[in-house]
Amino acid sequence: MKFFLDLCTKCGKCVPYCPSFQLFKSEYHSPRARVFFAKKEVRAKNFDTCLLCGRCESVCPNEVSFPSFYIKLIEKEDTSRVKDFLIKRVSQNPLELLPKKKTYQKDWIRPALPDSEVVVFFSCGLKSVYPEVLKKLKKVFDTLEVDWGVAEEVVCCGAYMLNLGDVSALKQQALKNLEVLEKFQGKVAVFCATCYWILKKVYPLIFEGTEFESRFKSLSQRIISGVSYFLNFLEKTELEPIINRKGLIFHLPCHLTEETKFVKNKLSIKEFCCGSPKLSLLLKGFQLNFKRVWQKYLIGVETLATFCTGCYLNFKFLTKHPPEIKHWLEVI
Ligand code: SF4
Ligand code: SF4
């Protein structure tokens, strides 16, 4: 990890992309400063204002990843005392606790088979926040003539456990999901940016050097973002007037920035950090203040479509109607 951080040349390219720098306007809250302290083996306070959004690593010419270092550090510190409560009570789907949770109908789900070409990761968002997307999935996959199904038994990816600093709870979630997803051979399509990041990058990282490493790496190679299906569907149908309607913007969440090349020029994309639902920062009012940074993008916007459960909830919590908050697949 130290070698990895040593690749930082202090060029500063990451600095303006970092949400905490954007808010505090201070180099101390930048990725470059965090890497500087990490290399010196100093546990600095600015680590705590890192949202784990990954924007720094996606623009870094040397692929330096402060989030990877920080996750390893969280694992070492692992001070959370919430593990038992979470694992026993809400580890299946923490969003069931939402006061206005939505529900899906059983007949919207087509169960995956071991040889299904595409297996949909049944995220908490699909279950309780934007279940209508399940109905749209049928239309999308049938139009694309893809043999698909939903992995019904998966549990929450565990992102909120990481936010609470409980990596051992996250590991338990990961093992449950590994067991379920290994029953299938197909690609695993994910319709939430945070789940995508957790399954693709974080699971292999936290199991590095363990007996499970190769299994999580194989799983990671099967994880794909649902954005590509959305775009293929657009090309096969006549949705131009719908997706280009005035007042609609497509929000590209941080953990999908790698998809930018596929979506630019195809949709009215706005790429910005929502401020993350990190609980420790929520209690300090970070997200409310951070709204100053992105609210300029919402002038005249009637519908904001996002691709992430965390962003969806954050926007719902921080904005008043309009805009109406939707998932990308809800607007087609
Ligand atoms: S982390 Fe990467 S982008 Fe940031 S200062 Fe170092 S080398 Fe440059
Ligand atoms: S992960 Fe996000 S918040 Fe953390 S240092 Fe990188 S850009 Fe900044």
Side-chain angles (χ1 to χ4, degrees), residues 18-19 31 34 50-56 66-67:
C18 174
R34 293 182 180 110
C50 169
L51 309 176
L52 289 171
C53 68
R55 291 171 80 81
C56 50
F66 177 76

Side-chain angles (χ1 to χ4, degrees), residues 29-156:
H29 290 284
S30 75
R32 178 164 61 179
R34 293 182 180 110
V35 171
F36 171 82
F37 287 117
K39 278 165 68 176
K40 295 213 170 287
E41 296 180 29
V42 173
R43 175 42 169 114
K45 283 210 166 91
N46 59 4
F47 292 3
D48 299 326
T49 50
C50 169
L51 309 176
L52 289 171
C53 68
R55 291 171 80 81
C56 50
E57 65 173 282
S58 66
V59 296
C60 174
N62 300 322
E63 296 180 32
V64 174
S65 169
F66 177 76
S68 300
F69 167 82
Y70 188 34
I71 290 169
K72 292 276 190 192
L73 185 71
I74 293 171
E75 183 176 7
K76 265 209 264 175
E77 295 177 340
D78 208 346
T79 51
S80 173
R81 297 281 175 270
V82 290
K83 182 171 65 182
D84 289 342
F85 170 78
L86 291 175
I87 291 289
K88 286 186 193 133
R89 314 232 176 147
V90 294
S91 63
Q92 292 282 334
N93 175 7
L95 300 184
E96 268 187 352
L97 300 178
L98 286 178
K100 287 187 185 169
K101 71 161 183 163
K102 296 181 186 162
T103 48
Y104 58 93
Q105 289 174 20
K106 206 68 184 146
D107 60 359
W108 295 352
I109 298 172
R110 172 173 158 161
L113 299 173
D115 59 351
S116 296
E117 190 185 331
V118 173
V119 176
V120 173
F121 183 76
F122 200 18
S123 64
C124 306
L126 287 176
K127 287 172 190 155
S128 308
V129 180
Y130 34 71
E132 293 275 324
V133 166
L134 290 164
K135 280 203 278 186
K136 298 288 175 70
L137 284 182
K138 180 169 173 10
K139 193 161 187 106
V140 169
F141 286 124
D142 287 352
T143 305
L144 297 175
E145 296 177 4
V146 170
D147 170 28
W148 69 288
V150 176
E152 290 180 275
E153 291 170 28
V154 295
V155 292
C156 166

Side-chain angles (χ1 to χ4, degrees), residues 135-197:
K135 280 203 278 186
K136 298 288 175 70
L137 284 182
K138 180 169 173 10
K139 193 161 187 106
V140 169
F141 286 124
D142 287 352
T143 305
L144 297 175
E145 296 177 4
V146 170
D147 170 28
W148 69 288
V150 176
E152 290 180 275
E153 291 170 28
V154 295
V155 292
C156 166
C157 70
Y160 74 103
M161 295 168 176
L162 184 61
N163 273 343
L164 292 167
D166 204 331
V167 176
S168 32
L170 173 65
K171 280 183 166 171
Q172 292 187 44
Q173 286 301 96
L175 289 169
K176 285 184 201 167
N177 282 329
L178 181 71
E179 199 184 320
V180 175
L181 294 171
E182 280 185 340
K183 291 180 193 162
F184 307 101
Q185 296 154 17
K187 296 274 181 201
V188 180
V190 187
F191 290 83
C192 164
T194 299
C195 298
Y196 173 74
W197 172 66

Side-chain angles (χ1 to χ4, degrees), residues 239-250 268 297-305 322-324 331:
L239 289 169
E240 283 288 306
I242 300 174
I243 57 156
N244 289 326
R245 70 172 184 256
K246 205 165 166 272
L248 167 66
I249 61 165
F250 289 87
S268 169
Y297 297 116
L298 302 192
I299 296 168
V301 172
E302 284 159 22
T303 307
L304 168 67
E324 180 182 32
V331 299

